[in-house]
């Protein structure tokens, strides 16, 4: 089992930055790939970014490329999502997810473990 706990969400203005954290615990070999997804009210869950824990490769949604950065801190077993130049359309609940297979994916159904989510609201 893997436990994921997100933090760092909040209310910011357009153009501001936020850093989300995802603290992972449990079976380390069960979280070979880490991902961030988001879900706005009335919309489907949407891929944001993914990170391969061992190789360090990354994948980003086109909508966040150049603005968001996914990274890790091995010592803290934590994955981060640095979000810069935030826009109102980035408003959503952001979820951290873990996949046991070490291949990047933008499909939420391919992830095995999920956190509870953290709200990000960007005002215009």
């Amino acid at each position: 089992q893997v436990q994921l706990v997100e933090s760092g969400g909040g209310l910011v203005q357009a153009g501001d930055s936020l850093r989300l954290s995802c603290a992972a615990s449990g079976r380390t070999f069960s979280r070979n790939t880490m991902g961030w997804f988001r879900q706005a009210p009335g919309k489907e869950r949407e891929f944001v970014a993914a990170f391969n824990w061992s190789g360090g490769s990354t994948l980003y949604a086109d909508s966040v490329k150049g603005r968001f950065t996914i990274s890790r801190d091995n010592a803290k077993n934590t994955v981060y999502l640095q979000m810069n130049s935030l826009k109102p359309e980035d408003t959503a609940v952001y979820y951290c997810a873990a996949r046991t297979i070490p291949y990047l994916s933008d499909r939420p159904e391919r992830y095995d473990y999920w956190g509870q989510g953290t709200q990000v609201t960007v005002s215009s």
Side-chain angles (χ1 to χ4, degrees), residues 39-116:
Q39 189 165 18
K43 295 189 177 181
E44 292 186 352
R45 195 162 293 191
E46 175 188 30
F47 171 74
V48 176
F51 178 85
N52 179 280
W53 197 280
S54 56
S57 56
T58 57
L59 179 67
Y60 292 95
D62 287 343
S63 59
V64 306
K65 246 177 224 180
R67 299 189 298 124
F68 292 10
T69 304
I70 188 170
S71 64
R72 67 179 173 188
D73 183 326
N74 283 341
K76 296 182 178 179
N77 288 325
T78 299
V79 174
Y80 301 101
L81 184 68
Q82 177 67 43
M83 305 185 295
N84 298 330
S85 303
L86 282 162
K87 305 175 181 179
E89 50 264 43
D90 294 319
T91 295
V93 177
Y94 282 70
Y95 296 92
C96 176
R99 188 180 187 208
T100 57
I101 299 174
Y103 295 107
L104 300 175
S105 175
D106 61 358
R107 312 247 328 242
E109 64 270 21
R110 293 183 176 172
Y111 287 77
D112 305 290
Y113 302 97
W114 292 84
Q116 82 288 350

Side-chain angles (χ1 to χ4, degrees), residues 17-33:
S17 298
L18 268 180
R19 188 178 77 161
L20 305 183
S21 300
C22 174
S25 60
R27 294 163 54 178
T28 57
F29 59 85
S30 295
R31 49 174 174 83
N32 286 297
T33 299

